[in-house]
Amino acid sequence: MKLNSFCLIAAFCTLITGLAGATQADDTNITIDSHVQGSTPFISTVTLTASDVTTIASIRFGITPKRPSVTRPLSGTYSSEYLTGRGDIDPGTGQIFLPVYGLYSGYANTVTLTYSFQDGSSKQDTTTITTAVFSDPCGYNKPGSLQHRTDDTSLSYDFFMLKGTCSDYSPAIIDTDGALRWMAVTATNFSSFSVAFFDNAVFYAHGAQLYRIDLDGTFSQLADYTSAGVNNFHHNIDLGKTGLILEADTPEYVESVIMEVDTSGALLKTWNMADIISAAMIAGGDDPSQFVYPSPTDWFHNNAVTYNRADDSLIVSSREDFLICIDYDTGAIKWIFGDPTKKWHQFPSLAKYAIDATPGTLPPIGQHAISVTFDQSIMVFDNGFQSFFQMPVGASRPYASPRKYQLDLKNNLATEVWNDEMGQSLFSPICGSIYEDAPLNYLIDYADINGFGAPSQFAQLVGLNVAGDTVFRYQYPTVACSTAFNAVPLHLESTSFPTVGARALNLSTRGSVGTGDNSLIGGFIVTGTSPMTVVLRALGPSLSDSGISNAVANPSLTLYNSAGQVVARNDDWQNDPGAAQIAASGLGPSNVLEAATIQTLQPGAYTFIVTSVDGTAGVGLLEAYNLSPLSTSKLANLSTRASVGRGEDALISGFIVGQVDSSSIAIRALGPSLATQEVGTPLSDPTLTVYEANGMAIATNDNWQDDPCVVDLEKNGLAPSNSLESATILRLPAGSYTAVVTGVDGGSGVALVELYDLK
C-alpha cells in the first residue's frame, strides 16, 4: 500500500493561494533597515519599516544552513498579534523589530524573510547578518566527530539541547551537523542542569527560583519558591499534565519532593515521595524508617519524572531504588519496576507493587531520563550502576545502555523490547539520557564516559534514525556531567509565536462515497467554551491526481448539529458564502465541483455527510481543518464512517497533531457493534494500522484485547463492545499520521474509525 499517494492532509493537497488582482503583498512596501546583535552572536534584531503594518498577518525568518549541511533551515514565524503584544510593532512609524535567533557565530548568515498578509498573499526578501565569533567555554562549537552527520535526511530532528553546568551561558542548542546555534546569557554565576524547552522558550531553575529565557535572549524571573519550603531545584525539569514538573530539595527531605507549576510559575500540585512511600509501607505492615530517611540523607535521589496521559499517572525515576508509578490525583502507588536485589524489594509492602521482568529482560539500574514512547512503552537511560546509599546496593554492570520496556499491567510483567548497548563498551555510571523524537528516532547521551574522576572523561551524543543507523556521533570533553547532563531533541525548523500546543488539529478521511449507509460520514466535537472556525471539504475529482482511478465525480457535503439541524450545505465550493475566506486560507479545492464551507462553530457535537450528487459511487476525501489553533476549544472525538473494501476502498483517516509536545491519542476501528445502530452491512472483523508521515507502520491491532494498552483503554471507557474490533493508544509527537481500516481476509462492510484526544 503506497501511502504517499494519498491526499489525506493539508500538506499533501494542491491549494489555491490567492485571489486574482492586486494583493496586499503588491501594495505594502517593507524595507530592511538594520541588524543589531543580541546578548550573544546567535541572536539579532532585524529592524523593518512597513508602509502599512495593518495588512501584515505574519513574518517568517529562515536561516540558510551552511553547506554541505542536510539539516532543515532553522526558522521562526511571528504573528502580527504576537509582535504587537510584545511592543515590536509601532503602528505610528511602521517600524517592526523582528527577533532572529539560531544564527551561526562568526559567519555571514543568509536570512530569508517571508511576509504573509491578511488577504492570503505573500512575498519574500533576503538579508545577510554577519555575526561575531563566540568564545565558547564548554567546547560545544568544536565537538570531536566520531561520526559526522551523514547525508541521510531521514532523521526526524535537526537540533538538540544540551544541559550542562560548564559555563554561565546555558543551555546550548546544537544542530545535528555539530554546529553551536544558540546560547544565552543567564546571570552572574548561574549554572544549572534544571532546564526544559517549552512554549518556544527555555525554563531554567536555579536555587529556589524559576526563570524563563526566550529565544531572543530575554531573561526573566517567574517565581521564587522559598516560601513554599524549597531550598534548591535539581536534576530535570519535565513536562507535566498541564505545566512543568520540578524536582525540589526541602529542609525535611533531599531529592524526593516533586512539584508541578504552570508556565507563569504558579504552583499547581506537590507530591512528597517520602510521604507516599511511608504511607504505603505503614499500610503494608512495614517500618518506613528503615527505608525512608529525612534530610540530609539522599535515600531516593529523584532524577526524572514523566506524565503519562493514557492512565493519568506520574512515572518517577529514583536512581537509588526503582521506577515508581503513582496516580496523578491521589499519589497512590500503581506499580514499581526495578532491580529486585536492591533493598526496596525486601519490604513486602513495596514488593507487592513489583512488575517482574520477563526472561531475557534486564531491569534498569541507576536509570535517568524516564519517558513514555509513541507506543506507550517506557524508556530510560540505564546507567547500570548500583545504589550509593541503600543497602544492599543491588546489581551493577560495567556498561550503560538505553532500554525500552513494554509493560503488561494485567500480568505485572515488563519485557525489554529495544536497547542499544554499543557492544557493552561504554561505562557511563551517572547522568545521561535517551529520548525518542518521531517514532524510532532517538537521541542518546552518554554523559560521563569512564566516570568517577577518571583522568579522561567524555560525553558522547548519538543520533539514530528509524532504521537504527547512526546518523551522527559527537564527543565532548567533560568533568562528571558538566558538559552534557541531559540532551533533548528540538524542532526549531518551524517554530511559531505564539506556539500551538499538542492537539489533534485536522482530520481527513478517504473512503467510498455513495448514498444511504454508503455515504462518507464524519463526526467531531468542539470542546471548551470558545467558538472555533473550521473549514470542511469534500474532495473527489482532484484525487485522480493522486492516482485514484475511481474518484467520486461530484461530491457534496452537509453539516448537522447535535439536534440534527442543518448548519450548512455545499455542492460546489465557489458558491459557499465564505469562498473568499476559504481561498485566502489556502484551502480552496482545486476542482470547482468539489465542496467546501467555512463555519464558526459553538462548542458541541457535529456531523458532516459527504454524498455523490448523481448517486454514482466513488472514492472521496472528507476533511476538517481547525483554523483556530489557539482557541481554548479544540476538535475532539473525531470519527468517520464509510464502506470498507479492498485496495482503494480501504477506510483511511489522516490527522495532524499540533506543533509542539506530544498528544495521547486513542484510535478505534469498529465494525460488528454498528449493527446496533441499524447499519445493514457492518464490517465483521476490522483491523487497524497506523502510519507516520513517511509511510512506516508504527502500530497495528486486530482484536483490541490483544493490544498492550488494553488496561488504559478500559480505564478511559474506550474499550470496544465487541472483541473483534480494534483499538490502541499512542503518544504521538507533533506530525502527520494515517489510520487505515481494512477487513480481515479482505472482508467488506461499513466501519467506523475514531480518534480520541486524551488531553
Side-chain angles (χ1 to χ4, degrees):
M1 186 175 292
K2 296 183 178 179
L3 293 180
N4 59 5
S5 67
F6 298 155
C7 181
L8 291 176
I9 55 178
F12 305 141
C13 296
T14 302
L15 303 178
I16 294 175
T17 57
L19 299 176
T23 66
Q24 291 174 335
D26 299 323
D27 296 338
T28 306
N29 183 47
I30 302 178
T31 59
I32 300 172
D33 299 331
S34 64
H35 321 124
V36 178
Q37 180 180 305
S39 59
T40 64
F42 310 106
I43 302 166
S44 183
T45 298
V46 178
T47 302
L48 312 169
T49 300
S51 59
D52 184 357
V53 297
T54 65
T55 65
I56 299 172
S58 65
I59 303 176
R60 177 185 183 273
F61 75 85
I63 301 170
T64 302
K66 283 184 179 180
R67 293 183 177 181
S69 173
V70 295
T71 63
R72 287 162 288 185
L74 187 152
S75 72
T77 301
Y78 299 94
S79 73
S80 177
E81 292 80 7
Y82 178 87
L83 291 171
T84 300
R86 283 171 45 103
D88 287 337
I89 290 182
D90 185 338
T93 64
Q95 280 196 314
I96 303 169
F97 303 97
L98 188 76
V100 175
Y101 53 84
L103 298 162
Y104 297 95
S105 67
Y107 186 71
N109 295 264
T110 299
V111 179
T112 301
L113 301 180
T114 302
Y115 312 117
S116 297
F117 296 88
Q118 301 290 349
D119 66 353
S121 61
S122 65
K123 63 182 178 180
Q124 289 187 335
D125 200 355
T126 60
T127 187
T128 300
I129 301 178
T130 302
T131 55
V133 174
F134 178 68
S135 179
D136 172 25
C138 298
Y140 290 135
N141 58 354
K142 292 183 179 179
S145 180
L146 301 176
Q147 179 177 315
H148 196 71
R149 168 79 191 249
T150 67
D151 60 3
D152 180 282
T153 59
S154 66
L155 190 68
S156 64
Y157 61 93
D158 292 304
F159 307 91
F160 55 86
M161 181 174 70
L162 271 181
K163 310 174 189 179
T165 56
C166 51
S167 79
D168 295 342
Y169 297 94
S170 183
I173 294 177
I174 298 172
D175 66 28
T176 53
D177 292 319
L180 182 59
R181 303 296 296 274
W182 188 89
M183 292 187 88
V185 176
T186 53
T188 303
N189 298 322
F190 268 36
S191 182
S192 176
F193 294 139
S194 301
V195 174
F197 189 86
F198 184 68
D199 193 30
N200 285 341
V202 172
F203 290 81
Y204 187 99
H206 181 262
Q209 291 78 42
L210 179 66
Y211 301 87
R212 176 182 173 123
I213 312 173
D214 285 287
L215 288 172
D216 68 354
T218 303
F219 186 84
S220 55
Q221 180 173 318
L222 298 178
D224 186 323
Y225 301 95
T226 304
S227 61
V230 175
N231 292 341
N232 181 60
F233 290 114
H234 59 88
H235 288 92
N236 272 14
I237 299 179
D238 294 294
L239 302 186
K241 184 174 184 176
T242 57
L244 299 168
I245 294 179
L246 307 175
E247 295 149 18
D249 290 331
T250 68
E252 295 78 23
Y253 292 103
V254 171
E255 300 198 3
S256 64
V257 174
I258 301 167
M259 301 164 55
E260 184 171 15
V261 304
D262 66 18
T263 53
S264 71
L267 181 60
L268 303 175
K269 196 170 177 64
T270 300
W271 300 265
N272 188 327
M273 297 307 299
D275 291 344
I276 289 170
I277 291 174
S278 294
M281 294 182 73
I282 292 170
D286 288 323
D287 179 4
S289 69
Q290 301 302 304
F291 184 70
V292 177
Y293 295 86
S295 178
T297 302
D298 189 6
W299 67 278
F300 190 75
H301 199 90
N302 172 209
N303 57 32
V305 181
T306 193
Y307 174 70
N308 188 5
R309 202 168 301 280
D311 67 350
D312 196 30
S313 68
L314 292 183
I315 307 174
V316 182
S317 172
S318 163
R319 203 219 78 85
E320 282 293 292
D321 306 306
F322 40 50
L323 298 175
I324 181 169
C325 180
I326 61 173
D327 182 83
Y328 178 90
D329 289 324
T330 67
I333 298 173
K334 304 179 80 166
W335 53 259
I336 294 173
F337 180 46
D339 176 9
T341 68
K342 286 187 175 182
K343 184 176 182 179
W344 68 272
H345 205 266
Q346 296 180 347
F347 299 98
S349 59
L350 299 179
K352 74 176 186 178
Y353 294 105
I355 293 178
D356 297 324
T358 58
T361 290
L362 293 176
I365 300 172
Q367 70 289 322
H368 286 74
I370 177 72
S371 64
V372 179
T373 65
F374 80 94
D375 57 358
Q376 287 292 312
S377 294
I378 305 301
M379 190 161 62
V380 296
F381 184 82
D382 178 12
N383 297 89
F385 197 75
Q386 64 197 29
S387 297
F388 285 103
F389 169 75
Q390 298 283 18
M391 300 289 291
V393 297
S396 194
R397 306 182 195 112
Y399 66 96
S401 173
R403 302 188 190 279
K404 184 191 289 189
Y405 303 94
Q406 190 174 91
L407 303 187
D408 176 359
L409 297 181
K410 276 201 167 181
N411 297 300
N412 289 323
L413 293 173
T415 300
E416 187 174 353
V417 294
W418 177 84
N419 64 50
D420 187 13
E421 294 186 338
M422 299 284 284
Q424 301 183 0
S425 62
L426 297 181
F427 177 61
S428 183
I430 56 174
C431 310
S433 60
I434 167 73
Y435 292 106
E436 183 179 62
D437 185 58
L440 307 180
N441 286 256
Y442 301 111
L443 175 63
I444 309 171
D445 172 13
Y446 294 88
D448 187 28
I449 295 172
N450 297 332
F452 298 134
S456 179
Q457 293 175 277
F458 298 96
Q460 284 189 19
L461 277 293
V462 182
L464 301 179
N465 66 11
V466 67
D469 298 328
T470 299
V471 178
F472 64 86
R473 186 178 176 189
Y474 299 128
Q475 183 165 282
Y476 305 86
T478 190
V479 177
C481 306
S482 62
T483 301
F485 160 74
N486 181 286
V488 182
L490 294 183
H491 284 270
L492 299 185
E493 70 275 6
S494 57
T495 48
S496 296
F497 301 87
T499 55
V500 178
R503 59 181 62 190
L505 291 176
N506 304 320
L507 166 72
S508 60
T509 301
R510 204 198 78 183
S512 178
V513 175
T515 57
D517 284 350
N518 294 322
S519 298
L520 187 58
I521 304 174
F524 59 89
I525 297 175
V526 176
T527 62
T529 58
S530 303
M532 172 182 291
T533 300
V534 299
V535 169
L536 306 177
R537 308 200 313 175
L539 308 185
S542 63
L543 299 185
S544 60
D545 298 333
S546 302
I548 303 302
S549 60
N550 62 332
V552 64
N554 190 358
S556 68
L557 70 82
T558 305
L559 176 68
Y560 298 87
N561 62 20
S562 59
Q565 300 167 325
V566 174
V567 176
R569 278 196 175 98
N570 182 261
D571 177 10
D572 302 332
W573 75 273
Q574 291 179 337
N575 295 329
D576 189 79
Q581 291 175 275
I582 295 171
S585 67
L587 293 171
S590 60
N591 191 292
V592 295
L593 295 178
E594 295 175 320
T597 185
I598 185 169
Q599 300 291 326
T600 298
L601 303 176
Q602 296 297 322
Y606 296 88
T607 302
F608 59 114
I609 299 178
V610 179
T611 58
S612 171
V613 171
D614 62 7
T616 303
V619 174
L621 180 67
L622 167 160
E623 298 177 312
Y625 293 90
N626 175 7
L627 298 191
S628 304
L630 298 175
S631 169
T632 57
S633 296
K634 64 177 183 178
L635 290 176
N637 299 10
L638 310 168
S639 63
T640 311
R641 198 191 84 183
S643 179
V644 173
R646 297 185 180 187
E648 293 179 353
D649 291 327
L651 179 57
I652 305 170
S653 183
F655 57 100
I656 296 177
V657 174
Q659 295 174 0
V660 297
D661 197 8
S662 295
S663 192
S664 294
I665 306 289
I667 307 172
R668 309 199 309 175
L670 307 185
S673 62
L674 299 183
T676 62
Q677 301 176 26
E678 299 183 355
V679 172
T681 55
L683 184 63
S684 61
D685 192 357
T687 186
L688 169 70
T689 305
V690 181
Y691 297 84
E692 50 91 69
N694 294 317
M696 181 187 73
I698 59 174
T700 187
N701 178 260
D702 180 10
N703 302 323
W704 71 272
Q705 291 173 330
D706 297 329
D707 193 80
C709 295
V710 59
V711 172
D712 296 331
L713 287 166
E714 292 172 335
K715 286 183 177 179
N716 283 282
L718 294 174
S721 60
N722 190 292
S723 62
L724 294 177
E725 295 176 319
S726 305
T728 190
I729 295 177
L730 300 174
R731 182 186 178 108
L732 298 173
S736 305
Y737 301 91
T738 306
V740 177
V741 179
T742 55
V744 173
D745 297 326
S748 61
V750 176
L752 179 70
V753 60
E754 299 177 311
L755 308 174
Y756 294 87
D757 190 343
L758 299 184
K759 190 165 185 176

